[in-house]
Amino acid sequence: MDHDKDALPPPALTRDDVFLARCHGVIKMAVRFLAVLMTFVICWGTLDVVWVMYRRMAANPYFLLDISDILATFGAFLAVLIAIEIFENIVMYLRMEFIQVRLVLATALMAAARKVIVLDFQETDPQFVWAIAAVILALGVVYWLLSAKKAAAPAPGNPAGAP
């Protein structure tokens, strides 16, 4: 018995289906282009970290860093790490075609932490510090809630309560 004869023909594509498929293709190409651009940003940022460190170490007194130099270096490092996290968000979207909220929250937490690390508390308005604290607290709670929800969910193919 030939199964191909029994199979139903695929449904005809409507004009809307073709239009949406083309729009989706354009979006995929745009996201790929963003991935390439983010790769350039990461490389450029890495060169910037090297340049910042070189400038700080080459200034008189040589090979000595004060706290502002260290904070500037940390800021440059963390900016590159944040760019890498954004690149990972783009890659995840390309692979799975959806945005993973936990990864976005982790990136936002890292960006907020960078802001706190490089913040000069003597020149910053206390309201701004409280606002950053509220943002970090909110992001942390949401991240924790999503992590707790994921940990409580049973594994696929494993009924709840089964070892």
Side-chain angles (χ1 to χ4, degrees):
M1 180 172 173
D2 191 4
H3 292 289
D4 290 337
K5 292 180 183 176
D6 296 335
L8 295 174
L13 293 176
T14 66
R15 290 179 67 175
D16 286 342
D17 293 335
V18 172
F19 173 74
L20 292 176
R22 287 185 180 154
C23 288
H24 186 70
V26 169
I27 290 171
K28 280 283 251 202
M29 288 305 298
V31 173
R32 286 183 179 121
F33 183 67
L34 288 174
V36 170
L37 289 177
M38 190 54 68
T39 302
F40 287 131
V41 168
I42 291 167
C43 292
W44 193 291
T46 302
L47 292 174
D48 184 56
V49 169
V50 171
W51 178 249
V52 166
M53 289 183 65
Y54 170 76
R55 266 195 4 240
R56 305 287 189 210
M57 299 295 266
N60 198 6
Y62 301 109
F63 297 106
L64 292 176
L65 299 174
D66 63 9
I67 192 66
S68 66
D69 295 334
I70 292 171
L71 289 177
T73 305
F74 284 170
F77 267 97
L78 288 171
V80 172
L81 291 176
I82 291 165
I84 291 170
E85 288 295 320
I86 292 170
F87 177 79
E88 289 300 321
N89 286 325
I90 294 169
V91 168
M92 188 70 67
Y93 180 77
L94 283 172
R95 288 187 179 150
M96 303 179 124
E97 294 192 1
F98 68 89
I99 296 174
Q100 202 171 36
V101 176
R102 284 181 62 222
L103 187 58
V104 173
L105 286 170
T107 305
L109 274 168
M110 185 181 289
R114 177 195 178 275
K115 186 68 176 173
V116 169
I117 289 170
V118 300
L119 197 62
D120 184 358
F121 288 97
Q122 294 176 348
E123 294 182 18
T124 305
D125 186 28
Q127 291 174 330
F128 185 77
V129 175
W130 283 108
I132 292 241
V135 167
I136 291 174
L137 180 63
L139 289 170
V141 167
V142 172
Y143 186 85
W144 175 74
L145 287 171
L146 286 175
S147 297
K149 179 182 175 187
K150 183 177 180 180
N158 187 14

